[in-house]
């Protein structure tokens, strides 16, 4: 599979006005992207994000589109606005998500349904026909909670495991051959964002809150900038259907599920 260059490419980034989404958008521009579209529901932060991008990269490098990823109609409008402004779209970053098990209906809708909406639109409609080069990329945001369950936030972990599964399924090389769209995922560890800072209380109650400290005691944090910088080589070099952990400010490393047909030791249920 040939490498993908972000130079002169256009990216649609959901949840793009703050945190990891904005960090990735800025990193794409730093590496020569033509433009970025920040698709987000937070209009208050949009102006600040656009100002930061203009001050660093110049005018006409970014637009904001108010987008609730739960609505496939709004998501499609974001794609259409991208084409109106930049004529093509090459990268979809499915970043929008929340961490709040106490609002688990919203959490599932945003994290799972929102990502599915993006993949369906990007993979089956816009990226195969409206890209500028020979291939396009969908980057899904899973989490280290999507490769190891966290007992304090089991519903959030489930949504991130779902994104992991989507990436493996849609990232199969059979699908790449028909679309020339790579589907890959990153699994950021704890990153210094508002989501991390406000974890306390966003669970199903006292028994879950008591597991917050034990689940996070050995985890190393990283800055948004470290996470975003580590994401770029994944976008450009990773093969479709691969999943990459980015944690502690270290380079990304691939997470590979074991092949059940190649297990050398099977553990069977026993009453002993």
């Amino acid at each position: 599979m040939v490498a993908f260059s972000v130079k002169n490419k256009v990216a649609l980034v959901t949840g793009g006005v703050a945190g990891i989404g904005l960090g990735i958008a800025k990193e794409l521009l730093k590496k020569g992207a033509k433009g970025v579209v920040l698709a987000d529901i937070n209009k208050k932060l949009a102006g600040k994000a656009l100002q930061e991008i203009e001050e660093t990269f110049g005018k006409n490098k970014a637009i904001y589109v108010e987008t609730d990823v739960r609505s496939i109609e709004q998501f499609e409008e974001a794609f259409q606005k991208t084409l109106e402004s930049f004529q093509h779209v090459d990268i979809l970053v499915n970043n929008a998500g929340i961490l709040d098990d106490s609002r688990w209906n919203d959490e599932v809708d945003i994290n799972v349904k929102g990502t599915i909406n993006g993949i369906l639109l990007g993979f089956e409609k816009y990226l195969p026909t409206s890209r500028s080069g020979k291939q396009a990329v969908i980057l899904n945001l899973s989490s280290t909670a999507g490769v190891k369950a966290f007992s304090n936030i089991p519903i959030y972990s489930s949504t991130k495991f779902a994104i992991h599964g989507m990436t493996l399924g849609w990232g199969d090389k059979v699908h790449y051959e028909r679309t020339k769209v790579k589907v890959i995922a990153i699994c950021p560890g704890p990153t210094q964002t508002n989501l991390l800072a406000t974890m306390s209380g966003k669970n199903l109650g006292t028994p879950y809150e008591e597991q917050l400290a034990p689940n996070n005691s050995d985890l190393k944090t990283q800055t948004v900038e470290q996470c975003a910088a580590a994401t770029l080589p994944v976008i450009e070099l990773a093969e479709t259907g691969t999943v990459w952990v980015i944690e502690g400010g270290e380079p990304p490393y691939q997470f590979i599920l074991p092949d059940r047909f190649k297990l050398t030791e099977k553990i069977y249920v026993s009453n002993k």
Side-chain angles (χ1 to χ4, degrees):
M1 190 175 298
V2 296
F4 175 88
S5 173
V6 303
K7 189 174 182 180
N8 296 322
K9 299 300 194 299
V10 175
L12 170 57
V13 184
T14 67
V17 302
I20 294 174
L22 180 57
I24 291 174
K26 290 179 178 178
E27 195 67 25
L28 287 166
L29 291 170
K30 186 187 299 184
K31 297 297 183 181
K34 177 182 178 181
V36 294
V37 176
L38 311 180
D40 204 301
I41 60 171
N42 196 325
K43 292 187 289 185
K44 291 182 179 180
L45 291 179
K48 181 175 181 290
L50 291 174
Q51 182 179 353
E52 289 177 5
I53 287 174
E54 183 173 325
E55 289 174 352
T56 304
F57 303 102
K59 295 183 178 181
N60 303 318
K61 289 292 186 179
I63 65 168
Y64 167 70
V65 182
E66 185 177 359
T67 308
D68 185 336
V69 296
R70 292 172 291 187
S71 165
I72 198 164
E73 292 80 15
Q74 289 189 33
F75 214 140
E76 181 150 31
E77 184 177 358
F79 273 103
Q80 292 169 350
K81 295 285 187 182
T82 302
L83 296 180
E84 289 173 13
S85 296
F86 296 108
Q87 291 72 58
H88 56 263
V89 58
D90 304 281
I91 303 165
L92 169 64
V93 180
N94 273 321
N95 167 73
I98 65 169
L99 190 167
D100 192 344
D101 275 16
S102 69
R103 296 170 51 205
W104 63 267
N105 279 293
D106 290 332
E107 191 174 51
V108 170
D109 277 352
I110 295 168
N111 296 3
V112 179
K113 182 180 177 182
T115 302
I116 292 172
N117 283 341
I119 295 174
L120 288 175
L121 290 168
F123 194 78
E124 300 292 353
K125 188 170 184 180
Y126 286 96
L127 293 175
T129 60
S130 301
R131 62 177 179 248
S132 62
K134 293 182 179 180
Q135 61 179 332
V137 174
I138 294 177
L139 176 72
N140 295 325
L141 270 286
S142 181
S143 165
T144 48
V147 296
K148 176 187 181 298
F150 282 68
S151 60
N152 60 308
I153 42 172
I155 301 175
Y156 176 79
S157 290
S158 299
T159 67
K160 293 303 179 176
F161 268 88
I163 292 171
H164 188 160
M166 293 176 210
T167 302
L168 299 181
W170 267 296
D172 191 282
K173 290 182 180 179
V174 171
H175 289 308
Y176 175 80
E177 289 304 321
R178 71 178 177 87
T179 64
K180 294 299 185 286
V181 178
K182 292 199 302 182
V183 183
I184 51 184
I186 59 170
C187 298
T191 306
Q192 294 166 13
T193 65
N194 184 60
L195 182 147
L196 179 65
T198 59
M199 278 186 66
S200 181
K202 293 186 174 180
N203 51 54
L204 296 172
T206 301
Y208 299 88
E209 182 72 19
E210 291 172 349
Q211 293 302 310
L212 177 59
N215 271 272
N216 292 280
S217 58
D218 296 328
L219 300 178
K220 298 178 181 179
T221 64
Q222 63 190 352
T223 66
V224 167
E225 291 75 18
Q226 288 173 319
C227 181
T231 299
L232 264 289
V234 174
I235 292 174
E236 294 195 313
L237 301 174
E239 290 197 6
T240 190
T242 57
V243 175
W244 300 80
V245 174
I246 299 176
E247 60 182 348
E250 298 176 356
Y253 64 88
Q254 188 176 359
F255 180 85
I256 303 173
L257 288 174
D259 184 339
R260 75 179 191 278
F261 296 112
K262 297 179 180 179
L263 288 176
T264 56
E265 181 178 353
K266 297 180 181 178
I267 300 173
Y268 295 95
V269 67
S270 172
N271 62 1
K272 293 181 181 180

